[in-house]
Amino acid sequence: MNIYFYISIRYFFSKKKTNLVNIIVFLSILSISVSAFSLSTILFVFSGLENLNEKFHKTHYPDITISCLNEKNFFINDSIIKKIVPIQEIMAFSKTIERKAFLHYNNHEYFVLLKGVDVGYEKVMKKFRKINLKNNKFDYLNVYIGGRIVPPMLLYHIINQPFQILFFDSKKDKKKTLFFMKKKVFIKGIFHFSPKMDIKYLFCDLSELQNVMKQKGFQTLEIKAHDKVNIDNLKNILMKKLGSKFNIRTRVEREKGFHKVLNTEKIFIYFLFILITLITGFNLFSAICILQLDKIKEIFTLWSMGFSLYRIKMIFFYIGFMITTFGCFSGLFISYIISLIQEKYKIFKIEKKIPFPVKITIEDSYMVVCVILIIGSIISFYSLKRINNMIYSNYYK
């Protein structure tokens, strides 16, 4: 251990001549700990929001979607399946068609998304489940409605009463003009997915929707990869197999907009708390300066014994660094405790329903420690300039 580091530890933990010095040192530690606590807590909340969004997209969207890049070739034929089946990284896939639809029922109008899926869809989306309540009616398009939006008392009346639906389709001409296609709909059963999907979607069998639209192909191929597969590598394999005619998107690429907003807000938070830490750093600056005044006789004694100015300055630099370290890690420790309590007991909630999302990450902790320690070191360094004047003024008295 360096002698000046040992002296700085003794100075830091020793009794001060006046109680005011102890109070100022304590306030400087407290201000730094509050800054570290605030920054780390907000970053943990941002990480929680990011994790919540990732879980949301994992529930609602497949790992990879493949669609036509060219709008003229809107539908994909089954030849693509032969190229995908040999890829070992793929666990399951599903052919789908999705259309915007207008539904009129009981003097009310609803805009929904009509989605035709094949039998592989339940393997791709693990939380999707269909329950059949009636047999097929061949003159109708048999659909499934969200189980959460229909009260059990009304379900019997709804499934026995057909209604009409309008959805967009394109004519088979060069212009590919859009028009409404009208079809009678019969509720075959209910599906369970998520609150958002239950309200937003109607599901039906892909083959039935293909017959109604007089199309043999499908619009999108949704893929579920094995758990430990790198999705970006799988995308590259698919691009090599299929070529440039298809638009291949991963689930992460769907989230890009949200991540951009979140990262922009994170950068703003960093700058804001750096500014706050610089302002609270004046407490650290004043604490080191008062410690220098409190130990003026000891400083002069060390200088008379042959200590260089550099070594004397390093003593007080280490004291400032210790104050910063104590404040930083105490604030981070309190933030850890509150975040862990929030994760387990869900105390803080948004509108008394949704628990505030929190996630402790090593990256956020590392950033907090780096920001606080760097600012504390810079302030400690600039507080040493007064030592020269203090020694020379005391020497020539």
Side-chain angles (χ1 to χ4, degrees):
M1 184 186 290
N2 292 327
I3 185 66
Y4 39 87
F5 183 65
Y6 174 75
I7 294 170
S8 65
I9 294 173
R10 290 292 302 272
Y11 278 5
F12 182 75
F13 289 104
S14 64
K15 266 193 172 183
K16 312 300 185 291
K17 292 176 183 178
T18 58
N19 195 40
L20 181 64
V21 178
N22 292 322
I23 293 170
I24 292 171
V25 171
F26 173 75
L27 288 174
S28 64
I29 293 173
L30 182 64
S31 63
I32 292 169
S33 66
V34 168
S35 296
F37 167 77
S38 304
L39 179 57
S40 57
T41 303
I42 289 176
L43 291 178
F44 293 158
V45 169
F46 271 93
S47 296
L49 286 170
E50 196 171 354
N51 186 52
L52 185 67
N53 181 68
E54 188 178 335
K55 286 180 180 178
F56 174 83
H57 277 80
K58 197 170 184 178
T59 303
H60 291 83
Y61 301 107
D63 292 330
I64 293 177
T65 56
I66 301 173
S67 58
C68 277
L69 194 63
N70 191 349
E71 291 182 359
K72 292 180 180 179
N73 302 321
F74 194 72
F75 287 92
I76 309 169
N77 56 43
D78 289 334
S79 62
I80 190 175
I81 304 298
K82 295 177 182 178
K83 298 179 181 179
I84 288 174
V85 168
I87 301 174
Q88 295 179 353
E89 289 84 354
I90 295 174
M91 189 175 85
F93 58 84
S94 172
K95 299 180 285 186
T96 65
I97 296 175
E98 189 173 304
R99 283 287 181 267
K100 291 181 181 178
F102 176 77
L103 179 68
H104 181 83
Y105 176 75
N106 199 19
N107 296 323
H108 292 283
E109 290 79 26
Y110 306 94
F111 281 98
V112 294
L113 291 172
L114 177 65
K115 188 165 186 174
V117 297
D118 62 7
V119 290
Y121 193 72
E122 291 187 31
K123 295 178 182 178
V124 175
M125 308 308 295
K126 295 286 186 180
K127 291 195 174 182
F128 179 79
R129 290 290 180 271
K130 291 190 298 185
I131 301 171
N132 292 322
L133 301 175
K134 288 281 184 177
N135 295 325
N136 285 7
K137 286 202 174 183
F138 297 103
D139 295 335
Y140 296 87
L141 178 63
N142 299 280
V143 300
Y144 297 85
I145 59 171
R148 291 182 178 90
I149 64 170
V150 182
M153 296 295 291
L154 295 176
L155 188 59
Y156 176 78
H157 298 286
I158 293 173
I159 62 175
N160 287 287
Q161 185 177 350
F163 50 92
Q164 284 190 337
I165 191 169
L166 298 171
F167 59 90
F168 284 111
D169 194 13
S170 55
K171 290 181 179 178
K172 295 183 178 180
D173 56 12
K174 293 181 180 179
K175 294 182 179 179
K176 291 282 179 179
T177 54
L178 292 173
F179 72 101
F180 275 115
M181 180 177 285
K182 186 187 289 186
K183 185 67 180 175
K184 288 183 179 180
V185 173
F186 178 78
I187 294 176
K188 183 183 178 182
I190 60 174
F191 73 89
H192 292 280
F193 201 163
S194 69
K196 179 187 173 182
M197 301 294 277
D198 287 2
I199 296 169
K200 195 176 178 181
Y201 277 85
L202 290 176
F203 283 87
C204 67
D205 291 335
L206 177 68
S207 58
E208 290 188 24
L209 191 55
Q210 285 173 330
N211 291 333
V212 170
M213 298 176 67
K214 297 178 182 178
Q215 291 283 353
K216 292 183 179 180
F218 54 93
Q219 183 183 350
T220 308
L221 189 68
E222 301 187 2
I223 294 173
K224 169 72 176 174
H226 288 284
D227 291 336
K228 295 182 180 180
V229 170
N230 187 305
I231 302 299
D232 292 325
N233 290 342
L234 178 56
K235 181 185 174 180
N236 293 331
I237 293 169
L238 289 168
M239 288 176 73
K240 289 178 182 177
K241 287 261 186 182
L242 304 177
S244 59
K245 293 180 181 180
F246 297 96
N247 181 24
I248 302 172
R249 292 180 68 194
T250 63
R251 187 175 60 246
V252 176
E253 289 171 344
R254 281 179 176 269
E255 305 170 31
K256 271 189 176 179
F258 178 81
H259 283 293
K260 281 182 181 178
V261 173
L262 207 64
N263 289 332
T264 304
E265 290 180 351
K266 264 191 175 183
I267 291 167
F268 175 76
I269 291 295
Y270 279 130
F271 280 114
L272 178 63
F273 275 91
I274 285 170
L275 180 62
I276 292 170
T277 308
L278 284 170
I279 293 168
T280 56
F282 283 108
N283 289 329
L284 176 62
F285 185 87
S286 61
I288 296 171
C289 291
I290 289 170
L291 279 170
Q292 290 169 3
L293 291 171
D294 186 63
K295 300 292 182 181
I296 183 65
K297 289 182 180 179
E298 287 83 352
I299 291 171
F300 188 73
T301 302
L302 290 172
W303 185 71
S304 302
M305 290 171 62
F307 267 71
S308 63
L309 284 173
Y310 171 76
R311 287 188 173 184
I312 294 171
K313 286 180 180 180
M314 287 305 296
I315 291 170
F316 288 95
F317 175 80
Y318 280 129
I319 291 172
F321 190 78
M322 279 189 283
I323 291 171
T324 306
T325 304
F326 271 101
C328 176
F329 284 100
S330 60
L332 198 60
F333 178 70
I334 295 167
S335 180
Y336 276 164
I337 292 172
I338 292 174
S339 298
L340 289 170
I341 291 170
Q342 173 63 13
E343 274 187 320
K344 189 171 183 179
Y345 298 106
K346 317 290 183 187
I347 296 170
F348 304 104
K349 295 183 179 181
I350 305 168
E351 296 182 354
K352 298 180 181 180
K353 291 181 180 180
I354 305 167
F356 235 99
V358 176
K359 185 184 178 184
I360 298 171
T361 62
I362 296 171
E363 293 82 4
D364 291 335
S365 304
Y366 180 76
M367 285 300 298
V368 171
V369 171
C370 286
V371 167
I372 300 294
L373 292 185
I374 288 169
I375 292 173
S377 301
I378 292 169
I379 292 169
S380 300
F381 178 78
Y382 275 99
S383 65
L384 306 177
K385 293 185 177 181
R386 296 178 68 254
I387 292 178
N388 288 11
N389 296 330
M390 289 169 64
I391 290 175
Y392 292 134
S393 61
N394 196 53
Y395 178 74
Y396 289 111
K397 274 186 179 180

